[in-house]
Amino acid sequence: MVENQSSPFITQIHLQRLQQLSRYYSLNIAATTDVQTLAEQLSFSERNIAKLMKTLASIGWISWKPGRGRGNKSEITLLDSFESALMSVLEQHCHKGHLSEAARYADLFGYEEMFRKKLPSWLTQAQESLKNLNTLVTLVPYSLPIMHPLWAYRSSSRLYIEAMFDTLLKYDNETGAIRPHLAHHYEFRENELWLRIRPDVCFHNGEKLTAQHVAKCIEDRVSKPHNYQILYRHILEVVAEGLWVVIKMSQRHESILHLLSEAHAPIYLDNPEQDIPYGTGPYALELSSEHHWILAKNPNYFSAGGFIDRAEYWTSDDADSSVQGHIVHHRCPASPSGGVDKISLQTGCDVIEFKHHQSELSMDEKAWIFHQAREFCRQQASDYIPIANSITGYHQNKGVFLYHPNQSKPTRPLRVCISGQTELRLKLIEHLRQQGAEIELFPLEHLKQTWIDFAVGGYVFPNNTVFGYYKWLLTSLAFTSCLSAEQQQAFLSIVDQLMLASDTEQDFLNELYRCEDWLIQNGVFVPLWRDSESYDVANSLHGLETDSAGILSLQKLWFDS
């Protein structure tokens, strides 16, 4: 078989020939044939048939007894099925650390799904080979996330956006200060922010970064509809002058610096060949498909890059709790299982958000759902899923109360969307049903429909949580879909006034909490429980630091020697 030390090197052609033979001959049943018949069946030259049969026999796939003399038939027996032989070849490639080659073979022969299911069980033996190749393998519970900085907004995109792209400025987690990055210097001149762009940076395709590139990215964020467009509302004009980029604003405020240092605000160059643009970051996208993508180290990175040479990511829906890849990212269970390193998120939580429309629920009905949901949270609360009293962790010590005297169980069916149908979110829906609510679930793509009554989802925040808090208030579903147009304008005006009136970040934070409490008291949203992430990690991997959203940083990971 494949493991035989005397076996020849197995190629794609060998597998194709075995696949062809499997169409004409049954497994483990001897059959007579001749060179002419085999040549026709394989579309192969008669002269090379004997050599091919000997090769397939030496591999161990067939038994071959050539006929002696003119007119004597040969005998062939298939000893291995094509599927079994292919899986053995794929497994051997994986054990050597050649995952991409194995994936290519699986794709070529139409066995992608089976390969993906078997991959986790093969990776344990492959870990050492992959480590020697300085290649990281991570199994993730999602398919290829959005990797365009303008459109990415889910937490699953964050690791890749931060690895592939750079921002103009960087937020220092320890000091809270804003540091230069792609812009090596910045200064305010009245209502203008001037940023001088580094002259030594190139995109992954080799094109040199210019101030014009930067200006276009910022202009796109001001003019193109996207999840965070409202945060750029104070920018009036962006001008490129030599190595300088000048951002002209309606009002000066330090929040512009936080905005330009956010993970959703990196600089990119559109790629005409695919939807994912070029970045300037420490890692470049080498390959992308729905269930498999690869990041490769950028050898020309202008700053301190990563330690890992290549990082492969594979979708794995049913990976068990034992380590298979170097990292296995699990859909977070309701309680920890053996071997899982469960990381509680410092900020962010699951929420119910009541959508605004003509026939929306009454305040009495919202109050009933509010109290039922909070009671469910109290019943389920544990060290791993604590009840949340605020969307952020800053105000966890403050209780949540809805000061509305009346409650009324909804009498009509409730139309509900769930973002990411986790076990706990589905349990909440079942709890509401048990209390007498009639609920009809709709797919997530219906979320924008005006007749949805409420959505159940969750939010996480980066380390710059004060700015993240501000961003959530103006870009979340609670603002965009749960307030009327008039309420949105009034709310936006209040936030702008608070921003200018607050002398310190702590003052601003306290005012933002008052805005969040107003949303709760007006039946806009209900905070539910804190979330967490869980990983299995190989002992050979180090640098496992997560941010407050539970996201691992690829740049900080390294293998022991």
Side-chain angles (χ1 to χ4, degrees), residues 102-158:
R104 186 179 71 82
Y105 272 44
D107 181 61
L108 178 69
F109 291 105
Y111 280 78
E112 313 97 306
E113 191 66 25
M114 181 176 289
F115 171 68
R116 204 162 58 82
K117 288 182 178 179
K118 287 184 174 292
L119 179 63
S121 64
W122 293 340
L123 282 178
T124 299
Q125 287 182 273
Q127 279 192 31
E128 194 62 27
S129 296
L130 290 163
K131 172 187 162 184
N132 292 336
L133 294 170
N134 201 20
T135 295
L136 173 76
V137 173
T138 300
L139 301 181
V140 296
Y142 48 81
S143 55
L144 181 72
I146 296 173
M147 291 187 180
H148 194 302
L150 191 60
W151 316 121
Y153 65 95
R154 296 191 181 280
S155 59
S156 57
S157 298
R158 185 179 175 110

Side-chain angles (χ1 to χ4, degrees), residues 395 466 469 498-514:
H395 308 287
V466 177
Y469 199 2
L498 294 175
M499 184 186 295
L500 291 173
S502 301
D503 295 327
T504 67
E505 280 197 347
Q506 187 60 49
D507 290 341
F508 190 39
L509 181 65
N510 293 335
E511 297 299 337
L512 293 181
Y513 175 66
R514 292 175 58 196

Side-chain angles (χ1 to χ4, degrees), residues 89-99 102 115 119 122 126:
V89 171
L90 299 185
E91 183 175 5
Q92 290 303 309
H93 276 304
C94 288
H95 288 178
K96 294 174 183 177
H98 303 155
L99 305 189
F115 171 68
L119 179 63
W122 293 340

Side-chain angles (χ1 to χ4, degrees), residues 278-377:
Y278 297 112
T280 63
Y283 287 89
L285 187 67
E286 182 179 285
L287 176 148
S288 65
S289 62
E290 183 181 4
H291 297 297
H292 177 213
W293 52 97
I294 300 175
L295 302 186
K297 187 175 180 179
N298 177 5
N300 302 313
Y301 190 52
F302 73 93
S303 186
F307 304 105
I308 300 292
D309 287 339
R310 292 173 86 247
E312 298 201 20
Y313 297 87
W314 295 82
T315 301
S316 180
D317 299 324
D318 53 1
D320 62 34
S321 61
S322 59
V323 174
Q324 298 123 352
H326 299 113
I327 302 175
V328 180
H329 184 181
H330 298 276
R331 294 193 187 278
C332 199
S335 57
S337 56
V340 175
D341 183 13
K342 195 170 173 89
I343 301 168
S344 295
L345 304 190
Q346 301 304 307
T347 62
C349 70
D350 276 27
V351 296
I352 288 177
E353 292 162 307
F354 296 100
K355 292 202 66 180
H356 169 75
H357 56 84
Q358 270 191 330
S359 302
E360 68 179 284
L361 297 170
S362 68
M363 194 61 200
D364 289 358
E365 291 171 317
K366 291 180 181 179
W368 183 88
I369 295 171
F370 177 98
H371 287 286
Q372 295 297 334
R374 292 292 292 180
E375 179 58 30
F376 172 82
C377 292

